[in-house]
Amino acid sequence: GQQLNQSPQSMFIQEGEDVSMNCTSSSIFNTWLWYKQEPGEGPVLLIALYKAGELTSNGRLTAQFGITRKDSFLNISASIPSDVGIYFCAGLNYGGSQGNLIFGKGTKLSVKP
Amino acid sequence: GAGVSQSPSNKVTEKGKDVELRCDPISGHTALYWYRQSLGQGLEFLIYFQGNSAPDKSGLPSDRFSAERTGGSVSTLTIQRTQQEDSAVYLCASSPGGDPKYFGAGTRLSVL
């Protein structure tokens, strides 16, 4: 089946550093979503992208929908300890029903105070 | 509560038994989604409801899995004759429309 390649798998950074993670796909998507999941909880939607080239911010988070429609990145600026968690990208194919998302395997972020 | 509620939070069962997992979405949300998350993996789509009907159930892994939604609200995911490979966290999400926005904390299913 379809796969999303999400990288890096894990990051261990110092508080205050910027973070960048990305997802690539072998097929074209018409929606990219970024979620954060903390232990024992469900994912929380951070940013949704619907148009190629779209750049959207949510506080210290910025995400972009790649112009090829096959990739997306998420940046976190000036990281803080509460940014710790697993970040997932998810994409929706053209013609796919809403909710039938393909998820990456996640980027585990650790922040050292 | 104001969020998506799932019960039970943990379920341990024996191979071959049936289990029912419940999801209470946020009141008024018409869209409801079920996903499965295995250890260290991303989420895997199972089924999507719009109201009481399921336009897309293509993610259900086998005919042992079924789901229903009643009154446009509560949904139940049933797994019959459970197998060890069914062990995972089952997550439910609801949304007023469009993308799955609000997730519950999940039901952790362990099949012995």
Side-chain angles (χ1 to χ4, degrees):
Chain A
Q2 280 191 316
Q3 302 225 350
L4 281 185
N5 294 313
Q6 185 171 351
S7 65
Q9 286 186 329
S10 62
M11 302 183 75
F12 190 83
I13 64 168
Q14 196 77 29
E15 182 177 0
E17 290 183 355
D18 296 345
V19 171
S20 183
M21 60 191 79
N22 69 84
C23 275
T24 59
S25 169
S26 58
S27 58
I28 291 172
F29 285 160
N30 67 358
T31 297
W32 282 99
L33 306 172
W34 285 92
Y35 293 89
K36 177 188 178 187
Q37 186 175 28
E38 297 185 28
E41 299 184 10
V44 173
L45 180 62
L46 300 173
I47 293 180
L49 303 160
Y50 301 107
K51 194 163 59 173
E54 181 180 357
L55 183 72
T56 296
S57 292
N58 178 5
R60 293 179 295 105
L61 278 61
T62 301
Q64 184 159 29
F65 191 143
I67 58 173
T68 66
R69 302 177 185 267
K70 293 183 178 182
D71 62 343
S72 177
F73 72 74
L74 174 71
N75 287 344
I76 305 173
S77 63
S79 58
I80 59 178
S82 62
D83 290 334
V84 165
I86 302 177
Y87 291 79
F88 291 99
C89 62
L92 182 65
N93 280 328
Y94 278 101
S97 68
Q98 69 182 63
N100 195 339
L101 299 167
I102 299 168
F103 281 79
K105 293 187 177 182
T107 294
K108 184 176 182 179
L109 179 63
S110 301
V111 179
K112 184 177 179 182
Chain B
V4 177
S5 177
Q6 290 188 246
S7 60
S9 55
N10 283 284
K11 176 71 177 178
V12 180
T13 191
E14 293 179 350
K15 178 182 171 181
K17 301 277 191 185
D18 297 352
V19 295
E20 278 191 358
L21 313 180
R22 178 185 168 110
C23 173
D24 284 86
I26 293 173
S27 178
H29 281 191
T30 56
L32 186 147
Y33 314 83
W34 283 98
Y35 296 89
R36 177 167 73 173
Q37 186 174 29
S38 300
L39 188 64
Q41 301 295 311
L43 279 67
E44 175 190 1
F45 170 78
L46 298 177
I47 188 169
Y48 148 60
F49 286 94
Q50 182 63 39
N52 290 337
S53 54
D56 188 346
K57 54 179 79 172
S58 63
L60 295 176
S62 75
D63 59 7
R64 295 186 297 104
F65 287 72
S66 62
E68 64 175 13
R69 189 179 185 195
T70 55
S73 181
V74 172
S75 176
T76 303
L77 177 69
T78 301
I79 309 173
Q80 295 178 311
R81 303 180 303 281
T82 52
Q83 304 293 312
Q84 287 183 331
E85 61 263 28
D86 299 334
S87 296
V89 176
Y90 289 82
L91 291 159
C92 173
S94 74
S95 174
D99 310 306
K101 285 186 171 64
Y102 305 96
F103 279 82
T107 294
R108 181 176 297 278
L109 176 65
S110 300
V111 182
L112 304 180

